[in-house]
Structure formats: C-alpha cells, structure tokens
Amino acid sequence: MSASFEVHVTAGTREEAERICTAAVNDRVAACAQIIGPISSLYRWEGKVEKSEEFLVLLKTGEHRLDELVSLVKDTHSYETPEIVAVPIEGGLPDYLNWIAAETAEQPFRPAS
C-alpha cells in the first residue's frame, strides 16, 4: 500500500473551495474532500498582519498523485501563494487507506470477482 496524505488548502470563498474539491475528485487526484468553515485566519502578508474569513479544504490523496494535486490546486486557486500543506497519514483503518489508493489510481480499481 502506498503512502496516503491529507492536503490542507485554504480558500477565500466557499465557491472557490467547492471548485477546488470538485476538480480534484473529478480528476482522481483526490479520493475525497471536506470543506470546513468559515474560519478566521490571521497571517502576515507583504509586511502586514492580515485577518480574513476563509474556508479550510481537506483533501485525501495517495503519494503517487500528490504532485498532480498540488499542481491542480495552484492552477485552480485565486491566491498568488495558496496554502497547500501535505500531511502524511501515519495510520488509520486499512480499508479506508486502501480506498484512497484505489480512488486515486490512474485507472479505476476493479477488484477480482
């Protein structure tokens, strides 16, 4: 079983978060996605402390699709430098982790009958 990752992304609107999630799942670079929010974000940008309302996106993917997922988010996102952080999934239900691998396979996985 290949390694799995949870990728964290923030988006400025729910619509943008949904667009990123839909593209990632449709392109099979993420098995699933959740949108949390709105959340309050504080960060330093271009020398100033900023505060904004954002939406947190959690995407599950396999190691073999991680670079493609990062590229898709960068290409889809409105931010100049979007938050894209990949956190390795160190454990979990084996059936769920296998599902992530199957759903992000280049070709859909078909179990033998």
Side-chain angles (χ1 to χ4, degrees):
M1 173 175 34
S2 69
S4 297
F5 288 83
E6 182 174 82
V7 178
H8 301 186
V9 176
T10 52
T13 65
R14 178 172 294 280
E15 292 76 21
E16 180 171 47
E18 289 175 358
R19 187 171 55 252
I20 291 166
C21 293
T22 300
V25 173
N26 281 342
D27 287 0
R28 300 185 74 89
V29 296
C32 64
Q34 292 86 29
I35 299 170
I36 302 167
I39 60 172
S40 294
S41 295
L42 264 89
Y43 52 92
R44 186 174 299 281
W45 182 250
E46 297 181 345
K48 297 187 319 189
V49 174
E50 302 284 343
K51 181 179 179 182
S52 63
E53 181 177 279
E54 294 182 298
F55 292 83
L56 177 62
V57 174
L58 305 176
L59 301 146
K60 311 311 183 300
T61 194
E63 182 175 27
H64 59 291
R65 300 308 288 268
L66 182 58
D67 290 341
E68 292 173 88
L69 177 57
V70 169
S71 292
L72 179 141
V73 172
K74 282 178 56 178
D75 292 345
T76 308
H77 211 293
S78 65
Y79 290 179
E80 180 181 334
T81 306
E83 173 186 348
I84 306 173
V85 177
V87 179
I89 298 174
E90 296 293 329
L93 180 67
D95 287 346
Y96 181 76
L97 300 177
N98 288 333
W99 174 80
I100 292 172
E103 290 303 314
T104 58
E106 299 274 341
Q107 296 296 319
F109 175 73
R110 301 281 185 243
S113 302

PDB file of all heavy atoms in Angstrom, residues 20 33 45 71:
ATOM      1  N   ILE A  20     -12.310  23.792  -6.174  1.00  0.00           N
ATOM      2  CA  ILE A  20     -11.074  23.033  -5.976  1.00  0.00           C
ATOM      3  C   ILE A  20     -11.394  21.573  -5.667  1.00  0.00           C
ATOM      4  O   ILE A  20     -10.809  20.655  -6.263  1.00  0.00           O
ATOM      5  CB  ILE A  20     -10.221  23.670  -4.855  1.00  0.00           C
ATOM      6  CG1 ILE A  20      -9.678  25.030  -5.314  1.00  0.00           C
ATOM      7  CG2 ILE A  20      -9.089  22.740  -4.416  1.00  0.00           C
ATOM      8  CD1 ILE A  20      -9.115  25.886  -4.201  1.00  0.00           C
ATOM      9  N   ALA A  33     -12.945  15.020  -0.368  1.00  0.00           N
ATOM     10  CA  ALA A  33     -12.605  16.354   0.114  1.00  0.00           C
ATOM     11  C   ALA A  33     -13.685  16.821   1.082  1.00  0.00           C
ATOM     12  O   ALA A  33     -14.859  16.497   0.908  1.00  0.00           O
ATOM     13  CB  ALA A  33     -12.492  17.325  -1.053  1.00  0.00           C
ATOM     14  N   TRP A  45       1.292  39.036   5.491  1.00  0.00           N
ATOM     15  CA  TRP A  45       1.389  39.043   4.033  1.00  0.00           C
ATOM     16  C   TRP A  45       1.893  40.400   3.578  1.00  0.00           C
ATOM     17  O   TRP A  45       1.324  41.425   3.947  1.00  0.00           O
ATOM     18  CB  TRP A  45       0.027  38.737   3.400  1.00  0.00           C
ATOM     19  CG  TRP A  45       0.072  38.672   1.903  1.00  0.00           C
ATOM     20  CD1 TRP A  45      -0.467  39.572   1.029  1.00  0.00           C
ATOM     21  CD2 TRP A  45       0.701  37.671   1.107  1.00  0.00           C
ATOM     22  NE1 TRP A  45      -0.215  39.197  -0.246  1.00  0.00           N
ATOM     23  CE2 TRP A  45       0.503  38.018  -0.234  1.00  0.00           C
ATOM     24  CE3 TRP A  45       1.423  36.512   1.398  1.00  0.00           C
ATOM     25  CZ2 TRP A  45       0.997  37.254  -1.293  1.00  0.00           C
ATOM     26  CZ3 TRP A  45       1.894  35.746   0.348  1.00  0.00           C
ATOM     27  CH2 TRP A  45       1.690  36.117  -0.971  1.00  0.00           C
ATOM     28  N   SER A  71      -0.359  20.697  -8.186  1.00  0.00           N
ATOM     29  CA  SER A  71      -0.442  21.476  -9.436  1.00  0.00           C
ATOM     30  C   SER A  71      -1.870  21.906  -9.728  1.00  0.00           C
ATOM     31  O   SER A  71      -2.113  23.055 -10.121  1.00  0.00           O
ATOM     32  CB  SER A  71       0.093  20.660 -10.608  1.00  0.00           C
ATOM     33  OG  SER A  71       1.475  20.474 -10.479  1.00  0.00           O
TER      34      SER A  71
END
